[in-house]
Amino acid sequence: KMAGSSTPWIGSAYLFLQSTCKTLVLPSLYESSQKKPSVFKALKLALADSTGSMNGVDMLKVHCSHPHLIVQLKFCKQENCRRFLQSYREGALQKSLQNHLQVSLAMTTVPLEMELKAGNEHLDNILKDEDRCLECIYREKPDRLRDEEITELEECLKSLILHQSINNHMTVKDYPSVNFPPLPNPSQGSSLSPQVTFIFQGQQFANRTLTPDDHQKFAKLVSKKWKQVGRSLQKNCRALRDPVIDNLALEYDREGLYEQAYQLLLRFIQSEGKKATIARLIAALEENGLISLAEELLGLHSNEDCS
């Protein structure tokens, strides 16, 4: 049994989305304050279709990691997860999302590729073994609370659907063409983006929230200096005080440096949410002389040893 009768069944997975059309870049659309609500609405409705309920699966965070849009999912009931997996396996989720994106973005077609991961497991390789997929998802507990931005978008969607349902007696499925008010533009001082750009080695880079890919690269390459980086990050992060860093060192000593570093950055991301940005991590790496790791995270592909 994956969970006792008194324990709620909770699991997590990442859905990777990529358009196969070169002129349609999903992360760019999601980063646009005008298009973001439309993309979110399509995601929400497609996920609702896959489980048969608007609450069947929860979106915790949407990461923009070009060329992928990565959606962190949380499942609270095994039967909802089964329905989702069946819909994903049969291609129904993909077709539903393509249709909702077409309507939301007013496009003729939105060709998509999808990939589903839980931890290090690529679930696409084992989709026929549903129980094993469920076990992988159940093993991966959600590592964060829902992002504030997701909550804002959900509230907007719910209120509009409720308003339309009361006035027109429409169901959610009858409701594909809501027009959301645009979110504030980050360049206009919105709280959605604490810092739009930053300078590293004389070059300007776009700031962004840390991605799962950043997280894994950091854990893999930071080696023994993970504690020093943690102490640099703690200046503006209460969740990384010295006792926390020391406890991580003890708690994950057997698992080794990768897991210690991974858990450190996980605490940072969990506590800071959308304020856990690449700029803050790069500054901490610079402070500790980890220039080649910073270059790796920014896609400059240095081959120097960063440990």
Side-chain angles (χ1 to χ4, degrees):
K1 246 186 173 184
M2 283 182 281
S5 56
S6 61
T7 310
W9 195 98
I10 294 174
S12 181
Y14 285 93
L15 182 64
F16 287 70
L17 305 170
Q18 180 181 359
S19 170
T20 54
C21 174
K22 288 181 180 178
T23 58
L24 187 67
V25 184
L26 289 177
S28 297
L29 289 173
Y30 195 80
E31 286 168 340
S32 157
S33 59
Q34 284 77 29
K35 298 290 185 183
K36 184 193 296 273
S38 299
V39 176
F40 177 82
K41 178 186 64 176
L43 286 168
K44 186 69 180 174
L45 294 180
L47 290 169
D49 289 344
S50 74
T51 60
S53 165
M54 285 297 278
N55 301 313
V57 54
D58 195 13
M59 279 190 278
L60 297 182
K61 172 80 178 171
V62 178
H63 303 270
C64 293
S65 181
H66 292 260
H68 291 102
L69 200 64
I70 308 170
V71 187
Q72 185 175 4
L73 304 173
K74 175 186 175 183
F75 300 92
C76 288
K77 290 183 180 177
Q78 189 180 141
E79 56 264 36
N80 287 336
C81 193
R82 280 192 188 277
R83 288 192 200 105
F84 170 85
L85 284 169
Q86 183 179 356
S87 176
Y88 181 85
R89 185 174 62 242
E90 293 172 354
L93 174 63
Q94 183 175 6
K95 188 174 180 183
S96 173
L97 183 53
Q98 285 174 329
N99 290 341
H100 284 302
L101 283 170
Q102 275 177 237
V103 173
S104 290
L105 298 170
M107 293 181 173
T108 52
T109 180
V110 183
L112 286 178
E113 281 183 354
M114 288 186 168
E115 192 177 354
L116 190 63
K117 295 180 183 178
N120 294 323
E121 193 74 60
H122 290 244
L123 299 185
D124 298 72
N125 300 330
I126 56 169
L127 282 175
K128 290 181 180 177
D129 190 344
E130 189 173 280
D131 287 336
R132 189 176 161 198
C133 287
L134 284 167
E135 284 173 15
C136 292
I137 292 171
Y138 175 73
R139 243 188 347 253
E140 293 300 314
K141 300 304 179 197
D143 60 6
R144 63 177 297 121
L145 299 173
R146 186 195 292 176
D147 195 70
E148 291 171 30
E149 186 179 53
I150 296 288
T151 303
E152 287 173 24
L153 289 162
E154 289 228 318
E155 289 306 314
C156 188
L157 179 59
K158 281 179 188 173
S159 63
L160 284 166
I161 287 177
L162 182 64
H163 181 72
Q164 279 287 50
S165 298
I166 291 168
N167 288 312
N168 301 326
H169 307 290
M170 297 171 89
T171 66
V172 169
K173 288 190 176 183
D174 295 325
Y175 184 71
S177 55
V178 178
N179 289 315
F180 287 81
L183 288 173
N185 191 324
S187 63
Q188 296 170 348
S190 161
S191 62
L192 297 177
S193 179
Q195 181 184 351
V196 177
T197 61
F198 66 100
I199 303 295
F200 174 73
Q201 294 186 335
Q203 292 185 57
Q204 193 171 41
F205 292 90
N207 197 11
R208 55 178 172 75
T209 305
L210 293 171
T211 67
D213 190 47
D214 297 327
H215 197 165
Q216 289 178 357
K217 280 182 181 176
F218 171 81
K220 183 179 176 184
L221 298 171
V222 72
S223 192
K224 295 176 182 177
K225 288 194 175 180
W226 68 271
K227 277 189 176 183
Q228 288 98 306
V229 175
R231 291 193 178 103
S232 294
L233 289 171
Q234 77 179 199
K235 294 169 189 173
N236 299 304
C237 178
R238 291 181 181 178
L240 292 181
R241 295 302 180 218
D242 279 334
V244 175
I245 294 174
D246 293 337
N247 286 341
L248 288 175
L250 290 170
E251 190 177 347
Y252 296 96
D253 181 51
R254 287 186 180 181
E255 285 87 346
L257 292 172
Y258 175 93
E259 192 61 30
Q260 289 169 329
Y262 187 90
Q263 293 296 329
L264 172 86
L265 203 58
L266 179 58
R267 297 294 191 283
F268 178 65
I269 292 167
Q270 283 177 327
S271 71
E272 297 298 293
K274 63 192 176 188
K275 293 178 184 175
T277 60
I278 189 71
R280 290 174 71 182
L281 182 56
I282 294 299
L285 294 174
E286 275 193 286
E287 192 173 306
N288 291 283
L290 295 166
I291 303 303
S292 56
L293 174 49
E295 290 173 343
E296 179 69 31
L297 291 175
L298 294 173
L300 301 177
H301 306 298
S302 170
N303 293 319
E304 295 168 34
D305 179 16
C306 52
S307 61

